[in-house]
Amino acid sequence: QITLKESGPPLVKPTQTLTLTCTFSAFSLSTNGVGVGWIRQPPGKALEWLALTYWDDDKRYSPSLKSRLTITKDTSKNQVVLTMTNMEAVDTATYYCARWTSSLGAFDVWGQGTMVTVSS
Amino acid sequence: DIQMTQSPSSLSASVGDRVTITCQASQDIRKYLNWYQQKPGKAPNLLIYHASNLETGVPSRFSGSGSGTDFTFTIHSLQPEDIATYYCQHYDNLLYTFGQGTKLEIK
């Protein structure tokens, strides 16, 4: 069974850097066509795609957040890490990681999400 | 950037009704469109990929259609467990844009 799980601090202060880790199992991020992405959802609002890393280390970022985001993968650990700098209150959200499968062209398996609050 | 306009933002329907949600792209996106269901307090779940393909395990009462700029998601006979927010999502080589969501309630 494919699973993904997000981990990270539930609370960060304004201006701090957020580091989130997605740990997955039952698939490999070295398999052709596979990627892992990050999507967030502020309370009561819509989903917003943030970043995606592919099996070949190609990376994609949301243009509006590109300057603040870095996505990296550690294939040996089955982990993908997202860092977001200069956190603000508007970044308060549930952050999800999800597997991207190019053969479907979709995020086909999602983690449960982790809530991050930005507050002093 | 391509803009996705999803409508309606909310709707109320009765069990057994046919429910339709639309997603319009600001330019031709061929069939690069997915539909997700998100139940309250849960992660999204893929229902339809590449505009009209039913994901494995998804009930056949769900369907998707369209290409180019206009897409439709249909629940053919609404069930109580279908209460959720539904999102369309466009993808290309650079962006993976979600629509604003449609919140579906039971009358």
Side-chain angles (χ1 to χ4, degrees):
Chain A
Q1 180 188 2
I2 293 171
T3 64
L4 302 96
K5 187 171 184 179
E6 307 86 352
S7 58
L11 179 67
V12 297
K13 290 179 167 41
T15 75
Q16 286 187 336
T17 293
L18 171 68
T19 298
L20 295 172
T21 301
C22 176
T23 303
F24 54 88
S25 63
F27 72 94
S28 173
L29 199 37
S30 59
T31 299
N32 193 313
V34 173
V36 171
W38 286 93
I39 302 100
R40 71 178 179 180
Q41 185 173 39
K45 296 189 176 182
L47 301 167
E48 178 185 21
W49 169 72
L50 301 176
L52 179 73
T53 184
Y54 282 102
W55 81 99
D56 59 359
D57 211 30
D58 197 8
K59 298 176 174 63
R60 299 286 183 261
Y61 293 100
S62 167
S64 62
L65 293 166
K66 185 175 183 177
S67 64
R68 299 173 54 204
L69 297 174
T70 303
I71 190 170
T72 59
K73 65 180 177 70
D74 187 330
T75 304
S76 64
K77 292 183 178 179
N78 281 354
Q79 290 182 333
V80 171
V81 174
L82 180 76
T83 61
M84 180 180 291
T85 61
N86 194 25
M87 293 291 285
E88 305 175 34
V90 295
D91 297 314
T92 293
T94 297
Y95 287 75
Y96 296 98
C97 63
R99 185 179 77 162
W100 177 266
T101 298
S102 295
S103 60
L104 304 182
F107 292 110
D108 63 341
V109 187
W110 293 64
Q112 63 188 20
T114 186
M115 179 65 194
V116 177
T117 300
V118 183
S119 175
S120 55
Chain B
D1 293 352
I2 295 174
Q3 305 301 316
M4 306 303 298
T5 304
Q6 188 175 339
S7 61
S9 57
S10 66
L11 79 109
S12 182
S14 300
V15 173
D17 282 355
R18 178 183 173 121
V19 171
T20 298
I21 299 169
T22 64
C23 195
Q24 186 170 56
S26 58
Q27 55 186 279
D28 187 348
I29 60 170
R30 293 190 279 179
K31 300 190 81 170
Y32 296 126
L33 188 100
N34 305 318
W35 292 96
Y36 299 83
Q37 175 192 64
Q38 186 179 32
K39 295 186 177 181
K42 301 294 185 181
N45 182 45
L46 176 66
L47 299 180
I48 303 287
Y49 63 93
H50 207 56
S52 58
N53 294 277
L54 195 66
E55 170 68 329
T56 302
V58 174
S60 59
R61 66 179 180 273
F62 297 101
S63 70
S65 65
S67 65
T69 60
D70 296 301
F71 300 84
T72 300
F73 171 80
T74 301
I75 306 174
H76 292 273
S77 178
L78 185 66
Q79 300 301 303
E81 60 267 31
D82 300 335
I83 297 310
T85 300
Y86 294 84
Y87 293 92
C88 63
Q89 181 229 343
H90 160 61
Y91 62 97
D92 60 22
N93 191 40
L94 294 175
L95 300 175
Y96 305 78
T97 308
F98 288 90
Q100 290 307 299
T102 296
K103 186 175 183 179
L104 176 58
E105 298 175 332
I106 297 282
K107 277 184 186 174

